[in-house]
Amino acid sequence: TPVALERVSLSAAAFKGLAEKPLRERLAAQPGGLYPLYQSEFGLTVVRARERARTGAADRRAARAPALPLGAPVLVVRRTAIGLGDQPVEFRSSVINTAQHDYVNLLEPPR
């Protein structure tokens, strides 16, 4: 059962040629999330991220994806990933069903 719905926004100029289907294929072939892909495919290194979290209610879109009733309590997390030179690389919004799950996020360099 899905637990979260994420929407990722990227700069069209920085990620020229990126499309959803090839992105899904690349992620399947290269596990580890988006940040290693940003670095290997586009030369963009995420060095830190800033997150803000607050409670909210599942809207129509969120209620479909994580299989939540409309209006169910959720955690909404907004992240800005920052790259070298203090430039934003990614804006991400996550709607998380925390009814049976905790939200834990460890932002650490790859091993």
Side-chain angles (χ1 to χ4, degrees):
T1 301
V3 175
L5 171 67
E6 293 191 321
R7 174 175 279 180
V8 176
S9 299
L10 305 168
S11 162
F15 291 90
K16 192 171 228 123
L18 182 64
E20 185 175 349
K21 186 176 181 198
L23 174 63
R24 288 181 190 274
E25 292 168 358
R26 288 178 190 167
L27 287 173
Q30 179 182 345
L34 291 171
Y35 296 169
L37 181 115
Y38 294 168
Q39 187 171 30
S40 66
E41 298 287 326
F42 299 97
L44 296 169
T45 302
V46 173
V47 294
R48 62 189 169 89
R50 179 179 54 246
E51 288 190 338
R52 298 180 70 87
R54 67 176 35 192
T55 58
D59 60 15
R60 289 181 195 271
R61 180 179 210 150
R64 281 195 313 265
L68 289 168
L70 187 63
V74 293
L75 182 65
V76 179
V77 179
R78 298 191 195 293
R79 175 191 298 178
T80 302
I82 308 295
L84 297 171
D86 279 336
Q87 296 300 313
V89 172
E90 171 199 86
F91 299 99
R92 184 183 304 214
S93 177
S94 304
V95 177
I96 304 164
N97 177 359
T98 59
Q100 296 177 353
H101 303 277
D102 291 336
Y103 176 71
V104 177
N105 191 6
L106 301 173
L107 299 174
E108 52 188 30
R111 295 176 192 197

